[in-house]
Amino acid sequence: MSLSVPQSEPSFRLNRTHVAIGLALACVTLFAVSATLNDAGITWDEPLYMRASRTYMSWFGLLKRGMLSGDLRESFSNQAIVAGWMPHPTLELHPPLGKILSGFAFATLRGVWGEIAALRFSNAVLFSLLVAMVFWMIASAYGTVSGFFAALCLMLMPRMFFHAHLANIDITVAAMWFLAMYCFWKYESRRGWPSVVLLGVAYGLMLGTKMNAIVMPMVWGIWVLMFHRNWRTIFRLAVIAVIGVLVFIAMWPWLYHDTGNRLMYYILMAFRFKDRPQFYLGQTLPHVPWHYPFVITLAVVPLVITVMYLLGISQVLRRRSSVGQRRGKAWDEMGWLLLLNALTPLLFAATGLQAAYSGERHFIPAYPYLACLAGVGFGSVLDVLGASCRRFYPRVDTGKVRLIMVGVLVSLLVPPSLSIVRIHPYQLSYYSELVGGLPGATRLGLETTFWCETYRAALPYLDENAQPAASVWAENPFVLRFYQRHGMLRGDLEVVGGDVVSPCTADYVVAQVRQTGFHYTPEIVSIMHEYEPTYTLAREGVSLLHVYRLSH
């Protein structure tokens, strides 16, 4: 069978070799991420998510005590639920699944790894499983080699690798989206209600991660209308959606009281950040244009992966497999499911219906599917090269030639691997060869960095050089205060910041090169022009962070 021609039906039973390879890829990924969990600096949202994870665990402790005593009234009271699940209603914007997983990892591992690594570990596991699922899905439909390449593509996307280190929800969203789609592919055609319930639970898990999940039934519906158009399937999708909503509500105790009003509040809050200023192509715009997610994706995905997923897309668009034609199905069903799932997050961000700022975070669910399509493209390249070899060198052992070609083509992933190592742990500043790397992206007017992960590099300098009780300004003071609480920054320093306190009043200014932030505090630009930095963090000749000592 050709490596790039999908099977006529989804493979429900992975063979032992595929299971072993997928688990091996997951283990390698988990080792690589776990070994470097503490390397990444604390990012903008992590203090909030970490605090939420800890309060969730406090509520679960209350629930456990109630179960042991046989009285659950206190744990399920509105007061206890609000204290445990929504103590800061203007800050808690997202459903709880990702934070629950972080909380359980925290409760289990903090004595072994420490608080920060323990809270981050669940996303390392999810990313590792996501790599395995990518392999299993593509290997079952397009062949082992295509699946292996797809999994490597996902593992070696520098920005995805970085996100896997964080106690944020972006990797959780990508993993749950893919899990729900994977279950849909395997069980959509199965008869009986167990498969419907399973899909409903999978969809509920996605709803319990982020509001992006509301578009998933639309993706499934379009695919069903293309390939399995019948009332039975449409009805099943409706039931799956209902089950998903029920699972979502059950997962979030905050919705147990005043459910209707709180659902409405959640929906309204989710759209609060829909329009945010963003530095893009050399200027700060009040909201990003439609092409922002597509340009950013081209800019942050390694060039070899971009070329391969574009080849994969072309294969999906023009393929009419012989198997499909015999069965009256002209198109590649799996390929179209991948393509629809890759396009939907990008198109949803392009419409302006959801937030789309700060790089790739808000359309990151598309990237596992781009890796899958890269695997499809890789298989098509192997087919072309294999056919050419058989045509011009009919006596050559095609098995050995194919093995050599696989090795040569997989070596194309060496550059992204080196990029991860070279720029570590600042992969949020990675830009691909297509835009000339980080220096080229800077010339194009793309944002240098955006999430405070660089602050950690300034801590030794501040500890050693700042005067006692000196004031330190940062765009996000909560990150520096987090470091203080964890003994990583001197406690006598007065941390101020944001757009509440002018940086000009501080003794030291920690300025990450987040050009969007200059819109909120334009004094930073003046400080950069008037003062020489006393400390600078740079990669590839481009500054990521400066520390300034101001004279008053």
Side-chain angles (χ1 to χ4, degrees), residues 14 149 153 412:
L14 290 166
F149 189 83
C153 285
L412 295 175

Side-chain angles (χ1 to χ4, degrees), residues 304-385:
V304 62
I305 301 175
T306 297
V307 171
M308 287 299 176
Y309 79 63
L310 290 175
L311 286 174
I313 291 172
S314 71
Q315 288 295 305
V316 171
L317 292 178
R318 68 185 182 86
R319 175 182 290 134
R320 292 174 179 269
S321 69
S322 59
V323 174
Q325 285 178 333
R326 286 198 303 270
R327 302 176 71 251
K329 298 178 180 179
W331 300 107
D332 174 2
E333 295 185 16
M334 161 72 88
W336 273 96
L337 187 61
L338 297 174
L339 182 56
L340 288 171
N341 279 279
L343 284 176
T344 298
L346 299 171
L347 291 173
F348 195 48
T351 62
L353 293 175
Q354 74 155 54
Y357 58 89
S358 295
E360 69 290 337
R361 291 191 307 119
H362 294 99
F363 37 88
I364 206 171
Y367 289 13
Y369 299 100
L370 296 181
C372 290
L373 289 165
V376 177
F378 181 78
S380 69
V381 170
L382 282 184
D383 285 343
V384 170
L385 293 178

Side-chain angles (χ1 to χ4, degrees), residues 84-334:
W85 294 88
M86 190 65 75
H88 305 284
T90 59
L91 298 177
E92 292 284 347
L93 301 178
H94 300 300
L97 179 59
K99 293 165 280 187
I100 291 173
L101 296 175
S102 288
F104 284 134
F106 166 75
T108 306
L109 299 172
R110 70 179 183 272
V112 179
W113 281 357
E115 180 177 332
I116 295 174
L119 285 162
R120 288 173 161 179
F121 183 67
S122 61
N123 271 338
V125 173
L126 287 178
F127 183 64
S128 304
L129 293 176
L130 180 57
V131 169
M133 284 192 292
V134 164
F135 170 77
W136 287 329
M137 186 166 193
I138 300 305
S140 66
Y142 297 95
T144 303
V145 176
S146 292
F148 188 75
F149 189 83
L152 288 181
C153 285
L154 179 61
M155 187 193 310
L156 297 177
M157 289 184 187
R159 296 211 179 192
M160 290 292 289
F161 182 78
F162 180 85
H163 284 292
H165 289 71
L166 307 180
N168 286 314
I169 63 171
D170 302 301
I171 286 295
T172 315
V173 172
M176 292 301 109
W177 186 307
F178 199 91
L179 174 65
M181 188 279 299
Y182 185 70
C183 291
F184 175 79
W185 171 250
K186 291 189 68 171
Y187 298 109
E188 175 272 335
S189 60
R190 291 279 186 95
R191 294 186 176 275
W193 287 105
S195 61
V196 174
V197 173
L198 176 64
L199 283 170
V201 171
Y203 179 55
L205 292 176
M206 178 58 195
L207 280 172
T209 307
K210 200 173 183 181
M211 182 174 278
N212 303 46
I214 62 174
V215 302
M216 186 172 289
M218 180 185 70
V219 178
W220 293 348
I222 293 172
W223 186 85
V224 164
L225 291 175
M226 292 175 66
F227 299 109
H228 293 207
R229 193 184 305 118
N230 60 71
W231 285 109
R232 172 184 166 275
T233 304
I234 294 173
F235 175 73
R236 283 162 58 95
L237 283 181
V239 175
I240 288 168
V242 171
I243 294 173
V245 171
L246 294 177
V247 171
F248 164 65
I249 294 173
M251 188 189 307
W252 201 356
W254 180 65
L255 297 175
Y256 293 178
H257 298 269
D258 198 15
T259 304
N261 286 331
R262 290 182 178 180
L263 273 174
M264 184 58 63
Y265 177 81
Y266 161 62
I267 293 170
L268 293 175
M269 287 296 290
F271 284 100
R272 187 176 71 167
F273 293 116
K274 184 171 67 69
D275 291 317
R276 296 291 296 272
Q278 175 63 45
F279 182 78
Y280 177 60
L281 298 181
Q283 55 185 326
T284 301
L285 305 173
H287 53 81
V288 297
W290 67 267
H291 46 78
Y292 176 81
F294 300 100
V295 172
I296 292 298
T297 297
L298 288 172
V300 305
V301 174
L303 179 59
V304 62
I305 301 175
T306 297
V307 171
M308 287 299 176
Y309 79 63
L310 290 175
L311 286 174
I313 291 172
S314 71
Q315 288 295 305
V316 171
L317 292 178
R318 68 185 182 86
R319 175 182 290 134
R320 292 174 179 269
S321 69
S322 59
V323 174
Q325 285 178 333
R326 286 198 303 270
R327 302 176 71 251
K329 298 178 180 179
W331 300 107
D332 174 2
E333 295 185 16
M334 161 72 88

